[in-house]
Structures are given as structure tokens and as C-alpha cells.
Amino acid sequence: MPHPAITFSRAIIRHPPPSALRGLRAEDRGAPDHARMCRDHTAYAEALERAGMRVSVLPPLEDFPDSVFVEDVALCLPEGAVMLKPGAPSRTGEVAAMQPALESHFGEIRAIAGPGTIEGGDILFTPREIMVGLSARTTREGAKELARIVADWGYGLRICQTPEDVLHFKTASGLLDEETILATPRLAKTGCFAGYRVLHTPEGEEAAANVIRVNDRVLMPAGFARTAEMLSDAGYQVEPLRNDEFALLDGGMSCLSLRF
Ligand code: CIR
């Protein structure tokens, strides 16, 4: 099994509120079922724990239907946390609600002031660099502000392009180890992963790209047998998790946690 890219010991997640039924979605394929969402969320937390993380579960925020997708509001780095600035107006208030939870873990908290916007789903942190995909949620100004904010921590930031009609850069990619990325062929074709080893999602399984490497295992959405087999054949310990309800809101493995 290839070495993990980064090791994690803690995760922060937030309980899905009943209002999640009204969460944002690119295409309406029906509302998620709240009870099933809670069940899958618990299973996700347990999977993080099995991977060796201590998981803090924050209370639900009824005023913010998408607040279960905590990844979008902060970037957690070893040197400190950066509060981000969602491009979706209904999600702006989630940032202030998250900050107190991070203050107990990080000595330094910085923040994107705007006017640019940037969501965590568009940020792929690798041991070499921070990649940011511009999207309908993440602007060039937002990416450039993040670059300025993390420069004195020694990080280089590379701006890429999230494919059109794809919510986030990491909807179509996930880091598997320090040099390997799982990506949809459409995103990989842009050349943004030059210098990395890239594994492509099989045709028809593009929705499996949003995996997360957590210490000794890869968490991935269940129901993508060919991707699971490909990753397993490549030496990864794969843990498929039910994600149908979150997928109705365009959410996947990475969005549900902040890991550090
Ligand atoms: C949204 O549209 O903002 C949510 N329904 C889904 C956010 C998913 N987040 C992520 O991929 N990082």
C-alpha cells in the first residue's frame, strides 16, 4: 500500500439538520431522507474513527441547510486554519459558526476577507502544493487571496480550472497518496495533474472520484465496483461508504469533514 500523503489524527464533522432537505443541488433528483442521512453520517464518523481519528461532532445548524458539508468553510493546515468564503450566499454564515470549533485546535486562524470567494471543495492539498480549481463557487480573486494568506507558511498555490458544470475541483478528484491522484478523465485531460501519477475513474463511475485518503485507508462512495477494484488492485485498502443521500445534494466523502 503506497504511503499516505498526510497523516491525520482529528476530524470535525457537523450533524445534518432537518433543513438539509432544502440543501443546494445542481439538479433536483428528489430530496434526501433525513433519517437515512443521519445513519450514513454516523457510519462516516465511525469509518473516520476506524482510521484512527478522534472525531468531534458539532450540533446541527437548522438555519444552514448545507452546513453538514463542513469542508467548504475552512482549510486546515499544520500551521493554522484559514476560514474560507463560500461562493454560495446561503452558506456564508457557516464560516462564523465553525470558527469557535477550530479555535481550540489551532493557534492561528486566518481568514479570506473577500471580495473573492473560495470553497474548500475546490482546494486539493498535496504534500507539494495547494491546488485550487476555479469554479462557479471559487473565483480567481479568492484563490489569489488564499495564496497570499498561506505564502509565509511556505505553501505554493497553483490555480487550475474545475470543469464546467462540476460543482467542485474535488468532485472530480481525490488524493490517494503523496504522488497519486484519482481523477475523472475529463479533469485529468486538462493537464492540471502533470507530475503526479493519475488513476482515472472508469467510464460511468465519474462520481467515485471524490475519495479521501485517511491514514491507512481510502474512504469512497459505495456503488462503484470498478473503481473499488481498481484501487484495491493498486494496493489501497478501500472502505466503501453509503453516500446516496448526500449525493442528492452533490456532496461526497471529502465535504463531510475537516481533517487535520
Ligand atoms: C452545496 O452545493 O454547497 C452543497 N449542496 C454541497 C457541497 C459539497 N461540498 C464539497 O464537495 N466540498
Side-chain angles (χ1 to χ4, degrees):
M1 167 107 164
H3 287 301
I6 299 149
T7 52
F8 298 108
S9 58
R10 300 204 70 122
I12 294 178
I13 64 176
R14 189 183 285 288
H15 207 275
S19 62
L21 312 188
R22 300 192 301 275
L24 297 171
R25 64 207 79 170
E27 183 194 335
D28 198 358
R29 289 171 286 140
D33 177 276
H34 185 249
R36 280 205 294 263
M37 202 177 228
C38 293
R39 179 200 61 193
D40 294 351
H41 195 250
T42 301
Y44 178 83
E46 289 168 353
L48 292 176
E49 281 169 354
R50 280 195 297 279
M53 321 262 284
R54 279 182 64 190
V55 180
S56 308
V57 188
L58 303 178
L61 294 175
E62 184 61 11
D63 288 348
F64 297 103
D66 288 291
S67 53
V68 69
F69 302 115
V70 291
E71 172 184 65
D72 293 319
V73 301
L75 175 65
C76 297
L77 298 170
E79 295 78 5
V82 181
M83 305 314 297
L84 301 173
K85 194 154 183 294
S90 65
R91 302 199 58 188
T92 321
E94 293 175 33
V95 179
M98 175 58 73
Q99 188 160 336
L102 293 177
E103 276 164 359
S104 53
H105 296 288
F106 291 90
E108 188 164 0
I109 303 223
R110 299 178 175 182
I112 299 285
T117 61
I118 179 163
E119 297 191 355
D122 281 316
I123 304 175
L124 183 68
F125 178 65
T126 85
R128 297 181 205 174
E129 60 190 339
I130 296 174
M131 303 178 76
V132 176
L134 304 183
S135 70
R137 301 285 181 86
T138 294
T139 63
R140 189 172 293 278
E141 293 68 31
K144 284 186 168 168
E145 187 178 352
L146 179 65
R148 288 194 296 276
I149 284 181
V150 298
D152 72 310
W153 285 342
Y155 293 107
L157 183 146
R158 191 147 60 90
I159 296 182
C160 309
Q161 186 64 50
T162 300
E164 206 175 330
D165 300 327
V166 172
L167 176 62
H168 286 132
F169 193 67
K170 283 189 298 191
T171 307
S173 62
L175 186 71
L176 289 168
D177 61 53
E178 57 192 22
E179 57 169 7
T180 313
I181 289 170
L182 175 68
T184 62
R186 186 174 172 217
L187 176 57
K189 207 171 62 189
T190 65
C192 59
F193 301 124
Y196 293 89
R197 185 165 78 109
V198 180
L199 297 183
H200 291 145
T201 50
E203 200 179 335
E205 295 204 355
E206 290 75 9
N210 179 247
V211 297
I212 50 171
R213 175 73 188 263
V214 187
N215 301 333
D216 65 348
R217 60 197 69 194
V218 174
L219 308 191
M220 66 169 289
F224 299 100
R226 284 176 294 145
T227 306
E229 190 183 343
M230 177 183 78
L231 295 179
S232 179
D233 287 350
Y236 299 99
Q237 183 185 327
V238 176
E239 185 155 355
L241 293 169
R242 207 153 36 186
N243 186 57
D244 306 349
E245 307 304 313
F246 297 113
L248 289 171
L249 301 179
D250 307 323
M253 295 294 111
S254 72
C255 352
L256 293 172
S257 59
L258 288 171
R259 304 163 294 279
F260 48 95

